[in-house]
Amino acid sequence: MNTLNQQYEEKVRPCIDLIDSLRSLGVERDLALPAIAVIGDQSSGKSSVLEALSGVALPRGSGIVTRCPLELKMKRKKEGEEWYGKISYQDHEEEMDDPAVVEKKIREAQDEMAGVGVGISDDLISLEIASPDVPDLTLIDLPGIARVAVKGQPENIGDQIKRLIQKFITKQETISLVVVPCNVDIATTEALKMAQGVDADGERTLGILTKPDLVDKGTEETVVEIVHNEVIHLKKGYMIVKCRGQKEITEKVSLTEAIEREKDFFNSHVHFQTLHDEGYATVPKLAEKLTLELVHHIEKSLPRLEEQIEEKLAQTQLDLERYGTGPPTDAAERLIFLIDKVTAFTQDAISLTVGEELKCGEKLNIFSTLRREFGKWIQHLDCSGEHFNSVIEREVEQYEEKYRGRELPGFINYKTFETMVKEQIKKLEEPAVKKLKDIGDAVRKVFIQLALSSFAGLPNLMKTAKTKIEAIKQEKECTAESMLRNQFKMEMIVYSQDRTYSSSLDDKKKEEREEEEEDDYGRSVVYSTDNHATLKELMLHLQSYYQIASQRLADQIPLVIRYQMLQESAIQLQREMLQMIQDKDNLDVLLKEDFDIGSQRAALQSRHKRLMKARAYLVEF
Ligand code: GDP
Ligand code: MG
């Protein structure tokens, strides 16, 4: 490792420091950072490789040993400086000054997160190590791919592990180190297949052959071909290393001693010596290659990283705006906050009822609904009038029976006229009340929508406003209904100004004459008998009066509805909402934030902070 030249300090160190600082900001929660993940079948030698690279004993042995992803952050210190370690997981953090305790601490962490036994967990254990003997590297050790479940493991443990591995290696930012022992057929290795699945050309896959001392006699040349990248081609190629075997561990061979033995092993090996000479063998060479690969990879990832940070920042800013600032903590400021919120809402409610633009930015409009509904109302009045006419026409035959009193032919009976008019107008009462209720519902909906957007995130305030809107709607609807019913009671007095009536009658007569002239040119004359003449006269009067009454109702009903359901409702709402603020004991209840909103805003704020710092790091870099 001392072979790394000065270029290393100048180029490698800052790159890796940058990523490490980004990582320690927690930016990884927001976007993927360049990393190296170690994958392979169970017992292929993953932990041994990591151990050799880091100089720290990791939990290893047979069966499933690595049960959580382990992030191993290594920092090279200057010669003579002290070893330092730190383990962190979930909200646990512990510093260490002795490499010998690392293994125990990792086992404890795994038991904590994945349970004592053989279960696995997706949660990351982070191990930081600083020492003069380690390379500047961050590696992630993953559980090995198991073929069959052992006692105590769920049936699908294999799939669980594969899913976990997939999660790491799918990321464009991850280099996969695929660890394969020399004594198995590389083509059938599950880990290599998985890596190829997400990285077909092997652009970010590096093969590592382990256990060269256990190679089957006679297959050495195949191993050499593999390392020469002639069997399964990977752009990043292969390395071969020899770590401590079980026997050496039992004999307590130190890691430094192991590196010496590794060098001797390759130097004296008949087949593998060439690989050593070519620089494809030994742990130190691997460390060197990995570091350079990582640096290269980081440099390549930086533009994309910057882009991602910008994107995330923009999105976070947008989200934050949507969440608003939330209520302040100071009591006096809280009251002001509440007053502002409520005033804005009630002002908007009033603006809504006069069709003016809202301050809350919401595009709510009652008047389009009103115009449509009131248009339907006048249509209803017209229809009802036409229906009236045809009914009378059909009743021609029964006129004598039904309506004629003691009068001689040619006289129309005023009482008959009144009765018929009243009957017809009475028919409009229920539709008018129904119109009121329909519009009342529509208006309430819009008010509630306004409350939803004005008091977003303040559920209690919103609920109070909703209750008030509902109660006021009921109250105003009652008043309006009785006003409408009174109107219809008054309409039972058949009345109009003489002048108005005469002019309406004149109009009708003129219309009638025009029609008769038309009749001379071919239409059969309908009314020929005396009775018919009387009826015709009566119809003229009925139509004239209906014209006036329906015009009156066409305006009156909408006026009552607008007055009570809009104007009065909004004023009442304002009055009650402002009254509510007076009660200071209520302040905290009303301003209680939606738990979700509060914590989501906090999360967004810290993400924003993180990303701003990350961007600053990148800009400085
Ligand atoms: P992992 O499950 O992939 O993490 O594998 P381990 O690193 O725990 O290694 C499994 C076993 O293989 C351990 O007993 C190691 O001592 C042994 N081992 C690892 N590398 C070598 C090697 O290069 N040569 C020999 N002989 N044994 C090795
Ligand atoms: Mg392991």
Side-chain angles (χ1 to χ4, degrees), residues 41-49 59-61 63 65-66 141 210-214 241-246 248-249:
D41 292 357
Q42 246 175 44
S43 295
S44 54
K46 298 179 296 299
S47 299
S48 301
V49 171
R60 48 186 205 125
V65 181
T66 310
D141 189 16
T210 55
K211 311 191 186 178
D213 49 325
L214 301 182
V241 296
K242 180 192 160 308
C243 299
R244 293 182 300 179
Q246 199 51 56
E248 291 167 300
I249 290 170

Side-chain angles (χ1 to χ4, degrees), residues 178-281:
V178 182
V179 176
V180 188
C182 287
N183 56 356
V184 304
D185 180 5
I186 185 167
T188 64
T189 312
E190 188 68 35
L192 191 60
K193 279 188 206 150
M194 285 184 70
Q196 284 177 315
V198 292
D199 175 31
D201 299 332
E203 298 258 14
R204 46 188 190 85
T205 305
L206 180 77
I208 298 184
L209 293 173
T210 55
K211 311 191 186 178
D213 49 325
L214 301 182
V215 66
D216 279 350
K217 289 266 169 305
T219 62
E220 291 91 344
E221 278 316 311
T222 319
V223 170
V224 172
E225 280 168 21
I226 290 171
V227 179
H228 280 155
N229 216 352
E230 285 160 7
V231 180
I232 295 177
H233 184 83
L234 298 174
K235 271 227 174 98
K236 290 213 186 300
Y238 293 81
M239 296 290 286
I240 186 165
V241 296
K242 180 192 160 308
C243 299
R244 293 182 300 179
Q246 199 51 56
K247 186 162 157 281
E248 291 167 300
I249 290 170
T250 321
E251 287 169 4
K252 294 212 161 48
V253 173
S254 77
L255 282 166
T256 345
E257 168 70 13
I259 285 185
E260 278 310 308
R261 289 194 185 190
E262 185 193 33
K263 200 165 98 192
D264 295 344
F265 169 82
F266 282 112
N267 268 333
S268 57
H269 200 280
V270 197
H271 301 275
F272 299 154
Q273 196 200 346
T274 46
L275 294 178
H276 187 231
D277 296 343
E278 291 160 347
Y280 290 125

Side-chain angles (χ1 to χ4, degrees), residues 574-614:
Q574 181 176 50
R575 203 177 290 138
E576 289 189 17
M577 291 297 289
L578 293 178
Q579 227 158 34
M580 176 191 72
I581 308 181
Q582 302 285 306
D583 185 1
K584 296 219 169 51
D585 297 339
N586 239 341
L587 186 66
D588 286 334
V589 179
L590 289 175
L591 286 187
K592 200 165 150 17
E593 264 209 290
D594 204 327
F595 174 73
D596 279 358
I597 299 259
S599 59
Q600 275 166 24
R601 182 189 305 108
L604 279 172
Q605 275 162 348
S606 62
R607 167 185 289 178
H608 190 258
K609 232 182 178 166
R610 253 195 325 267
L611 290 169
M612 288 295 278
K613 271 200 196 146

Side-chain angles (χ1 to χ4, degrees), residues 345-346 348-353 364 366 440-455 465-466 469-470 472-473 564-571 573:
F345 167 67
T346 56
D348 271 353
I350 288 173
S351 300
L352 202 58
T353 61
L364 297 174
I366 298 186
D441 283 339
V443 172
R444 178 192 48 190
K445 263 191 208 138
V446 181
F447 274 146
I448 286 180
Q449 248 175 298
L450 179 64
L452 286 179
S453 88
S454 303
F455 302 140
K466 261 172 148 175
I469 291 169
E470 190 62 45
I472 291 170
K473 186 235 170 196
Q564 287 296 340
M565 303 318 287
L566 273 75
Q567 187 175 310
E568 284 299 286
S569 295
I571 290 172
L573 186 60

Side-chain angles (χ1 to χ4, degrees), residues 351-535:
S351 300
L352 202 58
T353 61
V354 290
E356 274 164 20
E357 210 171 310
L358 307 185
K359 286 209 191 72
C360 69
E362 204 75 25
K363 287 264 168 284
L364 297 174
N365 185 352
I366 298 186
F367 280 85
S368 53
T369 315
L370 287 185
R371 207 168 295 115
R372 193 172 56 242
E373 290 298 321
F374 291 155
K376 281 194 216 154
W377 172 240
I378 199 163
Q379 265 172 10
H380 179 83
L381 292 172
D382 290 348
C383 277
S384 186
E386 273 163 35
H387 186 67
F388 188 30
N389 293 343
S390 60
V391 169
I392 302 168
E393 273 181 38
R394 259 186 277 123
E395 284 186 349
V396 171
E397 305 302 331
Q398 303 160 12
Y399 175 74
E400 290 259 318
E401 276 294 312
K402 231 177 150 179
Y403 298 111
R404 188 166 169 200
R406 64 189 153 82
E407 70 274 13
L408 293 168
F411 289 95
I412 62 157
N413 184 333
Y414 192 66
K415 245 203 152 114
T416 307
F417 164 75
E418 269 190 332
T419 313
M420 289 181 86
V421 158
K422 283 187 202 170
E423 244 173 50
Q424 183 55 25
I425 295 207
K426 189 93 189 129
K427 281 191 189 140
L428 300 172
E429 182 169 340
E430 292 317 314
V433 171
K434 180 157 188 313
K435 183 85 355 189
L436 161 71
K437 299 204 163 150
D438 288 351
I439 292 178
D441 283 339
V443 172
R444 178 192 48 190
K445 263 191 208 138
V446 181
F447 274 146
I448 286 180
Q449 248 175 298
L450 179 64
L452 286 179
S453 88
S454 303
F455 302 140
L458 301 166
N460 290 344
L461 195 50
M462 185 143 32
K463 220 163 54 204
T464 318
K466 261 172 148 175
T467 318
K468 290 198 188 304
I469 291 169
E470 190 62 45
I472 291 170
K473 186 235 170 196
Q474 297 297 350
E475 186 195 321
K476 297 296 166 195
E477 197 175 88
C478 255
T479 319
E481 183 175 339
S482 82
M483 281 174 80
L484 290 186
R485 296 219 184 265
N486 274 335
Q487 179 71 33
F488 279 95
K489 270 186 210 148
M490 289 190 289
E491 292 291 342
M492 292 303 103
I493 300 170
V494 176
Y495 174 75
S496 163
Q497 290 281 354
D498 288 350
R499 204 177 55 194
T500 318
Y501 189 75
S502 306
S503 96
S504 176
L505 190 62
D506 281 349
D507 286 350
K508 288 284 162 201
K509 281 188 172 155
K510 215 152 88 203
E511 267 175 44
E512 193 62 30
R513 262 200 306 278
E514 276 161 17
E515 267 181 36
E516 260 170 22
E517 273 162 26
E518 260 175 44
D519 284 350
D520 289 341
Y521 298 99
R523 248 177 66 177
S524 66
V525 179
V526 183
Y527 316 113
S528 51
T529 67
D530 286 343
N531 274 347
H532 284 150
T534 314
L535 187 73

